Amino acid sequence: MMQINTLSPAPNSKHSRRRVGRGRGSGLGKTSGRGENGQLKHSGGGKGPLFEGGQMPLMLRLPKRGFTSPFKKEYSVVNVQALNAFDANAVVDAQALLEKGIINKIAKDGLKILGDGELTKALTIKANKFTQTAINKIKKAGGTVEEA
């Protein structure tokens, strides 16, 4: 039976720390294995991982393109057809859709209902945004629309 007081690391998996700068007899004294002169002898010395020998780095050679608008709206989008998963006369909101697994998260700006497909049941739907097609199909099925 294995006991916690008998556990030990695998052979050669643990190494003792290299103690540099502890005298010439250790083999790593004086310059601590860094050599005599040059930028590599200093702490933090050397070139970064993106240095390309002095030529213009790739990141600076490539053109910068595009723009991200700070005002962009982000909605969880659901088509009218997906709402048939609910019972008739049910109240459908973002939380109900999340619990049913129709959406996987509620986006920053809420829920938007799109008009693709057909709705066969009368439902009360609460969302932040509706397309005109979606409103028409929901009302045609006998449902109501509540914009939050």
Side-chain angles (χ1 to χ4, degrees):
M1 181 168 100
M2 187 184 297
Q3 294 183 334
I4 199 150
N5 64 328
T6 61
L7 295 177
S8 62
N12 298 324
S13 67
K14 301 283 274 179
H15 302 284
S16 55
R17 186 171 64 87
R18 181 164 50 159
R19 298 184 71 225
V20 296
R22 294 295 181 272
R24 290 189 172 182
S26 70
L28 290 170
K30 191 177 176 249
T31 55
S32 304
R34 287 177 173 263
E36 287 291 337
N37 291 326
Q39 71 184 133
L40 293 176
K41 80 175 193 178
H42 298 290
S43 167
K47 301 172 207 57
L50 300 177
F51 185 73
E52 297 183 21
Q55 79 174 359
M56 184 66 68
L58 180 67
M59 291 299 289
L60 297 178
R61 277 181 276 154
L62 297 175
K64 313 269 183 289
R65 292 201 44 141
F67 163 75
T68 303
S69 171
F71 307 108
K72 181 181 179 184
K73 298 284 186 190
E74 196 178 302
Y75 294 104
S76 295
V77 179
V78 175
N79 277 307
V80 166
Q81 191 168 5
L83 303 176
N84 287 318
F86 291 91
D87 297 328
N89 301 319
V91 176
V92 179
D93 59 357
Q95 194 61 42
L97 289 165
L98 190 66
E99 288 166 11
K100 269 267 206 238
I102 295 171
I103 57 174
N104 55 9
K105 71 170 193 161
I106 300 171
K108 176 177 62 129
D109 293 306
L111 177 66
K112 182 172 183 175
I113 307 294
L114 306 181
D116 192 35
E118 288 301 320
L119 185 64
T120 57
K121 300 169 186 169
L123 300 169
T124 301
I125 300 165
K126 297 178 180 178
N128 301 77
K129 205 99 165 135
F130 292 88
T131 62
Q132 195 57 53
T133 317
I135 292 172
N136 295 341
K137 289 184 179 181
I138 293 165
K139 289 185 177 174
K140 183 180 165 192
T144 57
V145 171
E146 291 181 25
E147 215 164 300

